[in-house]
């Protein structure tokens, strides 16, 4: 109801805007899966609509709206039924001429600080004297709502409010540091297995949470998400850049499982250092650490993202890039990369390879080639006949693209080649290779209209053969200037 | 109760900020709202058109926004600190293809005609995600942990 009101308001107010841009895109898909003993056909139709209305009365006031609808013309492809839709955002924005001041109200996504949150609320930001800047937001979080709230225990506590702020300090020529805070939800959940509330002053010691098939029951748990973090971009000389952030989980989890008492409160450490040797060569190194129980602050899929797991992710990687942007034919970029990923409950994985991309005959043709080797630890099974299997594989990709004022065309081929025949038999229909091939052709009959058709086929773990056709019609009209895409 | 307190505290903080803000606010001109020139498809090389110097009304230089593979693969930190720079070229819908609570098309499918752009989950991801998800589930939490997991629930709880 409120969504409709907002929509009507936005659409009608767009009519008194001086500048309006409208974007529509229609995607019609048709695909067939050849599953052993079964053949399935899908035909979803998806419609996107975006409206940006600027200069509403004053130069600085604007409205932005974006959403989609999906209709199934054949079999059901979605859990939620034949017709689904969503208002991705719809908000009013006021921009000040000075101090990068900005106010927003409505539904929007916010990434000023910690996380990337979608909220129904307000936000603002401003530059202060002396190099400081401040931003804050507050409202209700927009979450994916499951029909069965039992499977999303944190639902009712997290729904109520979300707010956050960031204070940044910009040092001329050097970079910026910031501290941020985010809180989501205000109440601790104190419910027993049968969803009966437990009084706050319950003197009885609480039992450990346990895994009851598909849900980890916790009698009491602080599902509030409370984070503080610090971020930095430091550029002492233009060749060298250091970026990173540290995030702490500061929710009070005293009622959580006791074996997590000594678990780290650091949700995330993510740091990168890049250096440009000369006009052609640059290098980059990256370190990431995430502690599951601090990082996964609530989820509606607790089997995947559990706050009761004392697991840990740690990775480091490096890459070297060669970039020639002045080449007569167009830029050439080659990157070689290596990454070691450690997950405490799984083991070590490494990923290394290269990526290459080129443009030819001034930007009409572009192409890319990449190869990566992924070596993983073995997945250990309890089955004595198949005690373990490896997920190691090779990943290769090649693509080619042509675009002129009137036509576009592209080819994209991606292939995965698995080491382990046991894995292939069990999980990949006996195939040791999986591939996907996409060909696309497009035409621009008018300045604002683009039509393109993709044809894709491949083999997957579910279907030995899958073929898909997609028709894409994008139409834009409007009078407002646009900067990019 | 707790909610009221927090709302009150928030209102207090905001009021305080507004009161002091008037004196504290910088008097500098805002960063350009819209990039004056419409750029076509393809990753822009800022220093192809601009000198390697600080941008107007900004402390950072044009070169730091060259859309190299490194820039694209690690755009997060820059998007946080310089979101007004990104906003001068990118409508929010551009970012929403990958960052939203509920999407309907896998980015690689939506952009099937654009092999040159990054699209998470190319190829048969229903199969491959088991491997990437096992290697590092924290990488998925950002986008699927609390939202955009309509599709996952067919197989996961």
């Amino acid at each position: 109801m409120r969504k409709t009101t907002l929509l009507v308001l936005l659409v009608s107010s767009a009519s008194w805007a001086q500048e309006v841009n409208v974007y529509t895109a229609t995607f019609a898909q048709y695909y067939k899966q050849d599953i052993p003993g079964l053949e399935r056909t899908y035909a979803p139709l998806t419609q996107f609509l975006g409206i940006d209305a600027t200069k509403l009365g004053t130069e600085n006031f604007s409205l932005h709206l974006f959403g989609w609808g999906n209709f199934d013309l054949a079999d059901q492809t979605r859990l939620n039924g034949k017709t689904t839709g969503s208002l991705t955002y719809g908000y009013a924005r006021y921009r000040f001429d000075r101090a990068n001041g900005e106010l927003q109200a409505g539904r929007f996504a916010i990434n000023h600080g910690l996380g990337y949150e979608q909220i129904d609320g307000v936000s603002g930001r401003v530059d202060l004297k002396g190099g400081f800047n401040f931003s804050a937001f507050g409202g209700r979080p927009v979450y994916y709502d499951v029909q069965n709230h039992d499977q999303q225990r944190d639902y009712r506590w997290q729904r109520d409010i979300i707010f956050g702020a960031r204070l940044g300090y910009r040092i001329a020529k050097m970079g910026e540091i910031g501290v941020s805070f985010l809180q989501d939800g205000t109440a601790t959940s104190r419910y027993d297995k049968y969803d009966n509330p437990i009084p706050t002053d319950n003197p009885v010691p609480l039992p450990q949470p346990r895994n009851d098939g598909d849900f980890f029951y916790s009698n009491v748990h602080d599902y509030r998400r409370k984070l503080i973090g610090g971020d930095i971009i430091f550029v002492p000389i233009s060749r060298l850049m250091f970026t990173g952030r540290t995030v702490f989980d500061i929710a009070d989890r005293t009622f959580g499982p006791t074996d997590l008492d000594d678990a780290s409160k650091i949700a995330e450490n993510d740091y990168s250092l890049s250096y440009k040797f000369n006009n052609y060569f640059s290098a980059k190194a990256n370190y990431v650490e995430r502690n599951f129980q601090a990082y996964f602050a609530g989820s509606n899929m607790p089997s995947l993202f559990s706050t009761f797991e004392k697991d840990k992710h740690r990775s480091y990687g490096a890459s070297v890039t060669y970039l020639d942007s002045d080449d007569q034919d167009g830029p050439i970029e080659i990157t070689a990369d290596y990454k070691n990923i450690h997950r405490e409950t799984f083991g070590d994985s490494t990923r290394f390879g290269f990526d290459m991309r080129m443009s030819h005959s001034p930007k009409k043709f572009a192409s890319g080639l990449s190869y990566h080797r992924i070596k993983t630890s073995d997945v250990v099974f309890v089955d004595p006949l198949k005690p373990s299997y490896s997920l190691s594989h090779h990943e290769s990709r090649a693509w080619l693209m042509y675009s002129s004022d009137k036509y576009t065309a592209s080819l994209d081929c991606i292939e995965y080649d698995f080491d382990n025949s046991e894995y292939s038999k069990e999980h990949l229909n006996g195939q040791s290779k999986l591939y996907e091939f996409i060909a696309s052709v497009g035409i621009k009959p008018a300045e604002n209209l683009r039509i393109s058709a993709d044809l894709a086929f491949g083999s997957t773990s579910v279907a030995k053969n899958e073929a898909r056709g997609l028709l894409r019609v994008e139409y834009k009209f409007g009078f407002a200037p646009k900067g990019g895409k | 109760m707790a909610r009221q307190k927090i709302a009150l505290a928030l209102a207090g903080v905001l009021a305080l900020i507004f009161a002091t803000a008037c004196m504290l606010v910088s008097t500098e001109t805002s960063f350009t709202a819209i990039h004056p020139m419409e750029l076509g498809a393809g990753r822009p090389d800022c220093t192809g058109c601009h000198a390697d110097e600080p941008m107007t009304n900004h402390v950072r230089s044009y070169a730091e926004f060259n859309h190299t593979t490194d820039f694209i693969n690690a755009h997060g930190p820059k998007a946080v600190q310089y979101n007004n720079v990104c906003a001068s070229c990118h409508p929010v819908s551009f970012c929403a293809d990958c960052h939203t609570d509920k999407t309907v098309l896998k980015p690689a499918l939506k952009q099937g005609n654009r092999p040159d752009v990054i699209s998470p989950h190319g190829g048969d991801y229903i199969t491959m995600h088991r491997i990437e998800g096992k290697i590092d589930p924290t990488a998925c939490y950002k986008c699927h942990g609390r939202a955009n997991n309509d599709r996952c629930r067919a197989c996961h709880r």
Side-chain angles (χ1 to χ4, degrees), chain A residues 78 89 95-100 118 129 143 151 184 231 297-300 303 333 343 357 461 485, chain B residues 24 26-28 30-31 69 81 89 91 93 101 109 116 127 134 138 141 145-146 149 151 153 157:
Chain A
R78 294 265 149 188
Y89 57 79
R95 250 190 119 256
F96 295 83
D97 291 330
R98 304 219 165 260
N100 289 309
Q118 196 159 15
K129 281 181 182 147
Y143 282 146
Q151 291 175 3
D184 189 354
D231 58 87
S299 171
N300 52 10
S303 70
E333 191 175 11
R343 178 177 173 189
R357 48 195 299 144
S461 59
K485 215 205 128 170
Chain B
L24 290 176
S26 151
T27 50
E28 271 169 49
S30 293
F31 186 75
T69 302
Q81 291 198 355
C89 290
S93 57
D101 71 326
L109 203 67
D116 62 323
T127 305
K134 179 143 264 132
T138 61
Y141 181 73
R146 309 155 63 73
N149 50 28
R151 178 157 290 187
R153 298 182 61 82
R157 283 169 165 258

Side-chain angles (χ1 to χ4, degrees), chain A residues 279-392:
Chain A
N279 276 342
Y280 301 105
F281 285 97
S282 59
K284 183 173 173 175
N286 173 251
Y287 174 82
V288 182
E289 174 191 327
R290 295 187 190 118
N291 291 293
F292 286 33
Q293 83 298 329
Y295 190 73
F296 295 154
S299 171
N300 52 10
M301 294 197 298
S303 70
L304 286 180
F305 308 115
S306 166
T307 38
F308 304 135
E309 246 176 86
K310 199 177 163 184
D311 203 345
K312 184 176 177 163
H313 161 86
R314 197 254 319 109
S315 74
Y316 54 85
S319 65
V320 179
T321 302
Y322 168 83
L323 171 65
D324 184 353
S325 42
D326 308 322
D327 193 276
Q328 290 197 325
D329 287 337
I332 298 176
E333 191 175 11
I334 306 170
T335 304
D337 59 87
Y338 172 91
K339 193 172 177 187
N340 175 284
I341 306 156
H342 175 79
R343 178 177 173 189
E344 225 140 75
T345 58
F346 176 57
D348 275 51
S349 312
T350 47
R351 179 188 160 90
F352 57 89
F354 73 89
D355 252 300
M356 197 161 102
R357 48 195 299 144
M358 285 169 282
S359 300
H360 321 266
S361 57
K363 297 209 162 174
K364 282 214 160 157
F365 283 99
S367 65
L369 192 68
S370 70
Y371 164 81
H372 282 91
R373 168 73 176 142
I374 293 92
K375 269 192 84 64
T376 70
S377 303
D378 287 356
V379 177
V380 182
F381 260 170
V382 263
D383 185 346
L385 291 173
K386 290 182 242 105
S388 69
Y389 60 81
S390 162
L391 303 171
S392 298

Side-chain angles (χ1 to χ4, degrees), chain A residues 70-306:
Chain A
N70 194 61
F71 317 95
D72 253 312
L73 305 177
D75 215 341
Q76 250 180 229
T77 49
R78 294 265 149 188
L79 272 182
N80 285 356
K82 286 217 168 240
T83 308
T84 49
S86 176
L87 176 68
T88 307
Y89 57 79
Y91 62 94
R93 178 164 183 253
Y94 191 87
R95 250 190 119 256
F96 295 83
D97 291 330
R98 304 219 165 260
N100 289 309
E102 186 186 291
L103 285 173
Q104 285 187 169
R107 166 172 297 188
F108 52 88
I110 187 108
N111 60 8
H112 302 184
L114 298 164
Y116 206 126
E117 303 296 326
Q118 196 159 15
I119 67 166
D120 287 329
V122 291
S123 80
R125 72 145 282 155
V126 68
D127 284 351
L128 306 174
K129 281 181 182 147
F132 289 96
N133 59 72
F134 181 79
S135 62
F137 68 89
R140 266 170 164 268
V142 180
Y143 282 146
Y144 170 57
D145 183 7
V146 293
Q147 277 94 4
N148 182 358
H149 288 179
D150 248 18
Q151 291 175 3
Q152 191 181 358
R153 293 295 174 102
D154 55 354
Y155 180 78
R156 73 193 82 179
W157 300 281
Q158 283 185 333
R159 249 332 270 185
D160 60 353
I161 187 171
I162 183 167
F163 56 91
R166 177 177 180 277
L167 180 68
Y169 177 57
R170 205 161 271 183
I171 310 156
K173 297 209 175 75
M174 287 293 218
E176 180 169 330
I177 50 173
V179 286
S180 359
F181 172 78
L182 183 139
Q183 177 165 344
D184 189 354
T186 51
T188 313
S189 67
R190 293 179 61 85
Y191 280 75
D192 69 12
K193 188 185 157 191
Y194 307 101
D195 253 2
N196 300 314
I198 298 172
T200 331
D201 51 2
N202 185 3
V204 184
L206 296 153
Q208 290 287 302
R210 64 196 169 84
N211 185 349
D212 218 24
D214 44 42
F215 191 80
F216 292 90
Y217 284 107
S218 157
N219 294 58
V220 181
H221 197 71
D222 189 342
Y223 275 120
R224 280 176 293 186
R225 185 162 59 133
K226 260 203 265 183
L227 304 167
I228 57 169
D231 58 87
I232 182 168
I233 295 186
F234 180 55
V235 196
I237 49 170
S238 66
R239 293 161 175 280
L240 186 78
M241 177 176 300
F242 178 71
T243 63
R245 72 170 183 193
T246 293
V247 182
F248 293 94
D249 170 31
I250 53 163
D252 176 11
R253 306 209 191 277
T254 28
F255 297 114
T258 49
D259 64 330
L260 288 179
D261 280 355
D262 60 335
S264 175
K265 287 282 178 201
I266 296 175
E268 182 176 31
N269 271 321
D270 186 343
Y271 288 89
S272 299
L273 183 71
S274 55
Y275 187 76
K276 219 174 152 208
F277 295 101
N278 53 36
N279 276 342
Y280 301 105
F281 285 97
S282 59
K284 183 173 173 175
N286 173 251
Y287 174 82
V288 182
E289 174 191 327
R290 295 187 190 118
N291 291 293
F292 286 33
Q293 83 298 329
Y295 190 73
F296 295 154
S299 171
N300 52 10
M301 294 197 298
S303 70
L304 286 180
F305 308 115
S306 166

Side-chain angles (χ1 to χ4, degrees), chain B residues 27-101:
Chain B
T27 50
E28 271 169 49
T29 312
S30 293
F31 186 75
T32 179
I34 296 167
H35 188 258
M37 184 187 181
E38 188 174 347
L39 303 178
R43 297 179 178 178
D45 175 27
C46 317
T47 45
C49 297
H50 297 281
D52 186 3
E53 60 185 19
M55 296 188 291
T56 314
N57 302 318
H58 206 282
V59 292
R60 308 273 27 118
S61 72
Y62 290 98
E64 283 169 44
F65 295 89
N66 283 343
H67 280 34
T68 59
T69 302
D70 262 356
F71 175 92
I72 300 299
N73 289 347
H75 62 269
K78 280 187 183 153
V80 168
Q81 291 198 355
Y82 311 131
N83 47 65
N84 52 353
V85 178
C86 316
S88 69
C89 290
H90 294 291
V92 187
S93 57
F94 175 83
C95 317
D97 274 354
C98 300
H99 298 287
T100 187
D101 71 326

